[in-house]
Amino acid sequence: QHSDMPEEMRVETMELCVTACEKHATNNESAAKMIKETMDKKFGSSWHVVIGEGFGFEITHEVKNLLYMFFGGSLAVCVWKCS
């Protein structure tokens, strides 16, 4: 949907989101925790993750550290860094 991340980081983050959503298909909170913890380790803290259907948001994020994507049709995943 939207991202301002560098290509390599975007691809890695999208793969992580897909893996987390597949692994925790019935628990968005666990999927979000897996994504956040992995992003914190790999790219430094403080990452934030929201996963769900039918939500709006307005956030402040660090430049080149935002990914907003859909998984499996209607499940949205928003990942951003804001220290």
Side-chain angles (χ1 to χ4, degrees), residues 27-56:
N27 191 333
N28 291 345
E29 195 175 328
S30 294
K33 184 176 183 186
M34 179 181 162
I35 295 166
K36 185 216 174 343
E37 288 176 351
T38 305
M39 294 298 286
D40 281 350
K41 275 189 206 126
K42 192 151 204 170
F43 302 109
S45 57
S46 296
W47 287 90
H48 308 275
V49 182
V50 175
I51 301 176
E53 294 182 36
F55 64 89

Side-chain angles (χ1 to χ4, degrees), residues 1-13:
Q1 189 73 12
H2 175 77
S3 176
D4 69 350
M5 290 177 172
E7 178 70 13
E8 192 177 315
M9 184 186 204
R10 182 182 62 81
V11 169
E12 272 186 64
T13 305

Side-chain angles (χ1 to χ4, degrees), residues 60-78:
T60 299
H61 69 92
E62 293 177 18
V63 175
K64 302 211 180 295
N65 287 286
L66 170 73
L67 172 74
Y68 178 57
M69 63 178 272
F70 285 95
F71 173 78
S74 61
L75 190 68
V77 182
C78 186

